[in-house]
Amino acid sequence: MLIYIKEAKIAKDNNNAPVRDEDGTRINEEIRVKEVRLIDENGTNCGIVPIKEALAMADEAGLDLIEISPQATPPVCKILDYGKYKYETQKRKAEAKKNQKVVEIKELKLRPMIDTHDYEVKVKQAKKFLSEGNKVKFTMRYKGRELSANDMGKAVLDRLVEDLEGLCKVDSAPKLEGKQMMMIVSPEK
């Protein structure tokens, strides 16, 4: 059973021990060091201060003492409103995630005896994927006796690289793994 204390904003378990926030941030009495490097509510560096004095300053301001950088010696703490701090960190994470570009790997499967029109369709698809900024994995599948003549499949993959020249660069050259040969290309910058 968790008990939430509104004014201290600390969740406690059955043993009345403070429970850390899900992101590991310690606040107020959870900070268990003798001294901290303190930054007050105005952003002014107060220097190294005993923890009791820092907690008293935070209480006097009606705000929370939040551990910003726990790995520093001594840890860096700031006097802030915990709810506002948490909101701003979530907002920063969402902004970073929004600006992040996820590169997908699209796979196109081929056969060594591919017909001209089928080949052109695969080239058109590869151009579309590369223009969207995705990597393309070409998989050349062999059946039966085609495996003994794997140079035919390599020739098709080499022809693909020539047709896509200027649009892509080869990340991993064609290599045979079992009954298939694979090659990965990524878009040119």
Side-chain angles (χ1 to χ4, degrees), residues 141-153:
R141 292 189 157 189
Y142 296 101
K143 286 186 181 174
R145 289 185 286 189
E146 291 174 347
L147 194 57
S148 62
N150 61 17
D151 56 327
M152 290 169 48

Side-chain angles (χ1 to χ4, degrees), residues 83-95:
K84 186 177 178 183
Y85 169 75
K86 195 166 180 179
Y87 172 76
E88 287 174 355
T89 54
Q90 284 176 343
K91 203 170 179 180
R92 266 187 260 123
K93 283 180 184 176
E95 188 68 31

